[in-house]
Amino acid sequence: MTLAMAGGVSVAAQTSASASTSAPASAPARAAADTCSYPYVCLFKNGTRIGQFQDVTSGFQDLPSRPSGPNLVVQNTRNDDVAYIRRANGITTCLPPKTSIGIVSGTLTGIRIDSRSTC
């Protein structure tokens, strides 16, 4: 199942929490999972990895390249840590462990990995 969210973000879960809330990830997210190994949070543009992050941080790490949608995927391969992405318009989205999101529109400006296991 892909969930559309405010700001042009869609979320595709890769793990099964329950039958009513999970389904296979979208094709771009599945491709990202094939090339992003644990324990990274990776950024993909048009199927090509353009960045990967591993460290838990107390603040956002800036993204100098300022990647933007469409065809942008963020993949969190971590088992127990959430990842936050920050957009140019100030919206922050939390990405649970083992999930991917497709950025439909907008520009990303930062990423932060947090040791919390839930958003």
Side-chain angles (χ1 to χ4, degrees):
M1 168 174 54
T2 300
L3 304 170
M5 301 173 71
V9 175
S10 61
V11 177
Q14 287 192 314
T15 59
S16 297
S18 71
S20 63
T21 61
S22 62
S26 65
R30 196 171 18 237
D34 292 340
T35 57
C36 185
S37 61
Y38 172 84
Y40 292 101
V41 176
C42 300
L43 303 174
F44 294 86
K45 180 70 177 181
N46 296 319
T48 301
R49 186 174 60 208
I50 60 171
Q52 66 181 27
F53 299 84
Q54 179 179 7
D55 297 333
V56 172
T57 59
S58 60
F60 278 91
Q61 299 176 71
D62 288 330
L63 300 175
S65 65
R66 299 178 57 92
S68 60
N71 302 320
L72 180 64
V73 173
V74 181
Q75 171 74 42
N76 181 2
T77 66
R78 299 177 73 95
N79 294 326
D80 300 313
D81 304 322
V82 299
Y84 293 94
I85 56 169
R86 183 184 61 205
R87 299 167 65 96
N89 62 4
I91 292 173
T92 300
T93 302
C94 181
L95 183 58
K98 300 181 183 179
T99 58
S100 299
I101 60 170
I103 307 299
V104 178
S105 63
T107 301
L108 300 185
T109 60
I111 190 163
R112 180 175 150 244
I113 300 172
D114 191 295
S115 60
R116 285 185 259 171
S117 60
T118 59
C119 290

